Amino acid sequence: MSYFNEELAELAVAEQNRETSVLSETGMHFPWRQKHMETVVTGGKRRKDFAQTTSACLTLIQEALLKHQWQQAAECMHSYLQTLEDSDTYKKQAAPEIIWKLGSEILFYHPKSSVETFSSFADRMKNIGVLNYLKISLQHALYLLHHGMLEDANRNLSDAETWRYGEKSSSQKVLINLVQAYKGLLQHYTWSRKKMELSKLDKDDCVYTVKSQKMLSQSCKTSANICALIKIPGVWDPFVKSYVEMLEFYGDQDGAREVLTNYAYDEKFPSNPNAHVYLYEFLKREKAPRAKLISVLTILHKIVPSHTLMLEFHTLLRKSETEEHRKLGLAVLFEVLDFSGCTKNITAWKYLAKYLKQILMERHSAWVEEEWKSRRNWWPAFHFSFFWAKSDWKADADLAFEKGFVAGILLGKGCRYFRYILKQDHETLKKKIKQMKKSVKKYSIVNPGVCT
């Protein structure tokens, strides 16, 4: 698996040696290669042939990657390395990043690849195209983490952290911050292990005091590494979570709340559902007032109406004394069930069945009709067809019962789904089905006898 690594090493030397001719021996043993390299100098049609060859080679690599043909991709990559000596300045500058991305993908999945091969390839690529140094170092560190090599990953990040290259380093400030933040995540991992060890010790023990002091020192380093990054607009979920965990552990609730609030509400940051989830979970731990929890989940509902927290949101709205909130609680359930991934969510159907009955008992049929108006033409086929009635009953009778109740309320006793459930003989649900029949007769929002 080292053949294109070896060729890359030769090309790296050639790249660093300014006086090396493009016609010098580079160690690539393809008869047609020398001919194409000569055409770069002579120009004309042959120069075009070189470009076509490298372009075709790149296409073959991409096709091999899509088909997971790692061996074939590696062989093509061995040939594609010649693009590092392209006479086209733009292509020559773009080549290192292309080779790194494709090569790292191949080496990650190739059955004969190893950590040593990947690391050797990464180290050589760092010397070709200096602008990619930080990106390569970061991905190399993540690869090492994937293989459980924490110390090597940390060493790699430390080297990248000190990287400087004149004006180029200042233009890559965000990348340097990202490298430092990942180093902070590694420190957080160490801190988390110490926290677990500390939880098993007696607080009066002298060992507890020593370990807690070490943890405090570790958290300071971690905070310093992460803090700079999370102030830059972006999606920094794992870094924010780690930082907030430490702030909470040391009792800085105000600091944790400020970080999460800024992350969720600062307009400079991109829209991020997780930011609102983290803020909600923090406020919930703090036992914040219901109104505050509702305000956070209201925004999450607008971004991701099918989020798993929407059922919790419904519960908060249902218990609210505000009529507007209770009406929204119905809309939330309907919107959850609009999504195909939620059609088998028995909790959502139970909540909807129960809430429909409550709302209709309170004479708020207008709320139901408002939600049903936009769904009347597609929900019957989407949820309540005869096919789904048989399928749901066979898979989960409890689910079918809850859906049957909702179908009866929305479509009347003529609904095929509802009629199918009524005919079923189920010992446990027999009494509930009889009650369902009475409730549908009393609360259905359509005229009797309507058939779907």
Side-chain angles (χ1 to χ4, degrees), residues 397-437:
D398 287 316
L399 170 67
F401 168 79
E402 300 298 342
K403 285 184 67 174
F405 181 84
V406 174
I409 294 293
L410 298 175
L411 294 166
K413 63 181 183 180
C415 171
R416 292 177 183 175
Y417 196 108
F418 175 74
R419 292 206 314 261
Y420 182 85
I421 303 303
L422 284 184
K423 292 177 183 178
Q424 303 312 305
D425 184 19
H426 192 286
E427 193 63 35
T428 308
L429 295 175
K430 188 179 290 185
K431 187 180 290 187
K432 286 178 123 181
I433 290 173
K434 286 182 179 179
Q435 292 174 347
M436 176 181 75
K437 184 178 180 180

Side-chain angles (χ1 to χ4, degrees), residues 274-293:
N274 287 339
H276 301 282
V277 173
Y278 300 152
L279 179 59
Y280 171 75
E281 289 173 344
F282 172 79
L283 293 172
K284 191 177 175 183
R285 289 193 296 271
E286 275 201 316
K287 297 182 179 178
R290 184 188 300 149
K292 186 66 177 175
L293 297 176

Side-chain angles (χ1 to χ4, degrees), residues 14-30:
E15 182 78 10
Q16 291 169 337
N17 186 354
R18 299 282 182 180
E19 298 178 359
T20 302
S21 168
V22 293
L23 294 177
S24 65
E25 178 57 44
T26 60
M28 297 187 76
H29 309 296
F30 290 90

